[in-house]
Amino acid sequence: YYFPCQRWLAVEEDDGQIVRELVPVDEAFVKKDSENDGQSLATLGLEQKAKSTTYTVKVKTGDKKNAGTDANVFITLYGSKDDTGIVSLKASKINKNKFERGKVDEFTVESVDIGDLKKIKIGHDNKGNSTGWFLEWVEIDAPSLGKCLKFPCGRWLDKSEDDGAIERIIFPAELQTTEYIPFVPYEITVYTSDIFGAGTDADVFIVLYGSDGICTQQKSLCLNKREQRMYFERNSVNQFIVELEDVGDIIEKIRIGHKGGGLNSGWHLDRVAIRRLLPNGK
């Protein structure tokens, strides 16, 4: 079995996860492209990303005295088909100091398809100076399901408070579930021109437009400043898998640009290729 990855396992990189689920690929696919190994494996890494589902997890720490925690917090998502396994919530997208009193932290969790989300288990390892934690709620947005679910808690995860438990199983509150049209993965390939000064370090974004005035949200192609420095170099080809609203079978136009700023923001774009991926990653 071959399990290509081609992704960071680092708190400061990519989606911040240090554990990844990998799915096997056909051995022939790997061997066939051995002379062009780097590109082949990069393509496989993207194909695996297309087959996975991305969840946005928001965690609200209660506004009580000593509600915050310095312990390591983990979560497991349980679906109708499978579960994610234990995922460490290490890199909050909002706060450098995470799980502080009254604050909401946001994390990205990526997993193979686990089906409809049924429950979660969340807890901590009780390590550090201030470990007790009052968890108000967890909210999980699953674009591929077209659902945003709220998991109310309102209890301590503390060995010396409440029932002494430091992990809890929580079920979604049905009345607080928001449904919308499920997102689909798009493969977006960006070609930067081969002329002097063509590359950019700016934050590049894209919007897709379908028929009948349907359009996606504006989405940045890079996850962080490091990726901005790495991608969109002169005469380069960069490929991204982006989950966006489904604009249908026909893309009538796209809007692509950047937010300026920085030393090298000017960009000479050659062309963009877009594929709407079907559920099995084809």
Side-chain angles (χ1 to χ4, degrees):
Y1 294 88
Y2 287 83
F3 294 87
C5 183
Q6 297 293 302
R7 304 273 305 276
W8 282 97
L9 285 81
V11 174
E12 299 83 19
E13 305 289 356
D14 200 339
D15 58 3
Q17 289 302 327
I18 55 171
V19 178
R20 297 205 178 280
E21 286 191 352
L22 304 179
V23 291
V25 299
D26 187 359
E27 177 185 350
F29 193 105
V30 175
K31 297 228 163 142
K32 180 184 71 180
D33 282 310
S34 56
E35 68 278 4
N36 190 17
D37 215 22
Q39 190 55 46
S40 164
L41 283 171
T43 305
L44 284 169
L46 281 167
E47 287 199 359
Q48 287 192 322
K49 192 169 182 180
K51 287 177 185 173
S52 67
T53 302
T54 303
Y55 302 93
T56 298
V57 178
K58 289 184 178 176
V59 179
K60 171 74 186 289
T61 299
D63 193 7
K64 289 176 178 283
K65 188 180 178 186
N66 300 325
T69 185
D70 296 330
N72 297 303
V73 174
F74 58 83
I75 193 169
T76 305
L77 279 53
Y78 295 89
S80 53
K81 298 180 189 172
D82 203 349
D83 65 72
T84 60
I86 295 171
V87 179
S88 294
L89 299 180
K90 284 192 171 289
S92 172
K93 292 187 167 182
I94 301 173
N95 307 305
K96 191 166 187 182
N97 272 346
K98 51 195 183 295
F99 311 121
E100 294 290 309
R101 173 178 174 173
K103 295 286 179 69
V104 175
D105 290 287
E106 185 179 312
F107 305 88
T108 299
V109 173
E110 205 173 89
S111 162
V112 294
D113 180 20
I114 61 169
D116 276 333
L117 203 48
K118 297 295 185 187
K119 63 181 180 182
I120 62 170
K121 180 162 73 177
I122 189 164
H124 61 78
D125 62 2
N126 209 43
K127 290 182 179 170
N129 295 324
S130 172
T131 57
W133 185 35
F134 190 89
L135 172 61
E136 197 71 58
W137 48 255
V138 177
E139 184 182 274
I140 299 180
D141 190 10
S144 63
L145 298 174
K147 283 184 181 177
C148 185
L149 300 100
K150 194 79 163 266
F151 295 79
C153 180
R155 293 183 70 179
W156 286 97
L157 284 79
D158 187 338
K159 287 199 168 178
S160 58
E161 297 279 356
D162 202 336
D163 60 358
I166 57 169
E167 63 177 45
R168 298 198 181 281
I169 289 175
I170 316 173
F171 295 88
E174 284 187 29
L175 293 175
Q176 292 179 279
T177 297
T178 312
E179 296 199 17
Y180 54 91
I181 297 167
F183 283 26
V184 296
Y186 288 90
E187 178 191 271
I188 298 172
T189 310
V190 179
Y191 299 81
T192 299
S193 304
D194 186 14
I195 63 171
F196 179 74
T200 184
D201 291 338
D203 185 3
V204 173
F205 61 81
I206 195 165
V207 182
L208 313 187
Y209 293 83
S211 52
D212 302 323
I214 301 170
C215 71
T216 68
Q217 62 182 290
Q218 181 172 300
K219 180 81 172 178
S220 291
L221 294 177
C222 292
L223 291 167
N224 51 42
K225 284 196 160 48
R226 184 189 161 279
E227 287 193 359
Q228 289 175 31
R229 289 193 298 272
M230 254 177 61
Y231 298 142
F232 313 120
E233 298 291 303
R234 174 179 173 172
N235 195 30
S236 66
V237 180
N238 301 118
Q239 205 165 53
F240 306 88
I241 302 291
V242 183
E243 281 184 306
L244 291 167
E245 296 92 338
D246 189 351
V247 297
D249 294 333
I250 296 168
I251 300 174
E252 294 203 335
K253 65 176 181 180
I254 66 170
R255 183 167 172 262
I256 189 165
H258 62 76
K259 297 174 183 176
L263 294 172
N264 306 302
S265 62
W267 183 35
H268 198 287
L269 171 63
D270 185 62
R271 66 190 189 277
V272 179
I274 298 179
R275 275 200 314 159
R276 179 169 168 263
L277 302 172
L278 298 174
N280 60 0
K282 292 283 168 50

